[in-house]
């Protein structure tokens, strides 16, 4: 499932379901709209899985988007949710801040998530780079792409003239030898981002 497919579904009411698996995150990004912490609350896993198992081929969203906080603090739940949704024909995408990438490795738990989902997005912006260096994020992106899962980057810019997205796109293309879809938004004045 490509980023373009996800974006086209935004035009259809009810085509997607966004689920915040947790308000926990091991990162402390200055712009976090949730102000996620290591001690944040978790969504009830059993209740979520019961809900997903109510999907039928005739009554289901096209895509389940799993986010957080950091959804990969609960990798088993990401896999279980993707499997439950797939039974009815729903595809799954996950958006991660890439905390696991520090050091440039792709842990086995993240590989299992990549095998279970249809799309894997990583957050990238100047604030994330203070927590996860760009070289490590790009190494993880390259390793994820090599698993065969569709990948993209979700970048935030400080404003319309911020050169960050163009610089990131150039580095990604230089590293991977091809373009990776990049969704660019603006830092919002919510959570810790309100202080910016």
């Amino acid at each position: 499932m490509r980023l373009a497919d996800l974006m086209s579904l935004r035009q259809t009411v009810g085509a997607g379901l966004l689920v915040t698996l947790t308000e926990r995150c091991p990162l402390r990004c200055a712009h976090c709209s949730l102000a996620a912490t290591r001690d944040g609350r978790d969504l009830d896993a059993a209740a979520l899985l019961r809900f997903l198992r109510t999907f039928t081929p005739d009554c289901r969203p096209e895509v389940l988007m799993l986010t957080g906080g950091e959804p990969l603090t609960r990798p088993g739940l990401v896999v279980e949710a993707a499997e439950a949704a797939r039974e009815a024909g729903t595809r799954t995408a996950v958006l991660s801040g890439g905390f696991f990438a520090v050091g440039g490795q792709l842990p086995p738990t993240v590989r299992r998530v990549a095998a279970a989902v249809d799309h894997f997005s990583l957050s990238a912006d100047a604030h994330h780079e203070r927590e996860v260096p760009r070289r490590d994020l790009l190494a993880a992106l390259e390793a994820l792409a090599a698993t065969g899962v569709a990948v993209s980057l979700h970048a935030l810019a400080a404003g319309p003239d911020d050169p960050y997205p163009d610089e990131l796109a150039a580095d990604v293309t230089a590293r991977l030898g091809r373009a990776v879809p990049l969704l660019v938004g603006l830092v919002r004045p919510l959570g810790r981002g309100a202080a910016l």
Side-chain angles (χ1 to χ4, degrees), residues 58-169:
D58 297 326
C59 185
R60 62 173 174 78
E62 289 295 319
V63 66
L64 171 67
M65 182 71 180
L66 301 175
T67 187
E70 174 52 66
L72 294 187
T73 59
R74 306 182 78 187
L77 181 55
V78 172
V79 171
E80 285 185 87
E83 290 170 350
R86 182 172 288 118
E87 288 178 16
T90 296
R91 295 172 290 177
T92 303
V94 65
L95 173 61
S96 171
F99 75 97
F100 58 84
V102 174
Q105 300 298 313
L106 194 62
T109 54
V110 177
R111 289 185 184 279
R112 283 193 291 278
V113 167
V117 301
D118 301 287
H119 191 93
F120 202 120
S121 296
L122 289 172
S123 295
D125 51 66
H127 302 290
H128 272 99
E129 287 193 20
R130 292 183 195 122
E131 303 279 330
V132 182
R134 185 181 300 190
R135 69 181 176 281
D136 293 349
L137 189 73
L138 295 182
L141 181 67
E142 186 174 31
L144 283 166
T147 71
V149 69
V151 295
S152 66
L153 288 169
H154 286 208
L156 291 177
D161 297 326
D162 187 348
Y164 181 87
D166 290 332
E167 293 167 359
L168 177 64

Side-chain angles (χ1 to χ4, degrees), residues 1 4 10 13 19-20 25-27 30 33 45 60 65 69 79 93 98 119 139 144 155 169-170 186 192:
M1 168 177 256
R10 287 185 169 192
V13 174
V19 176
T20 300
C25 183
L27 305 178
S33 61
R60 62 173 174 78
M65 182 71 180
V79 171
H119 191 93
L144 283 166
L186 295 175
R192 284 192 294 271

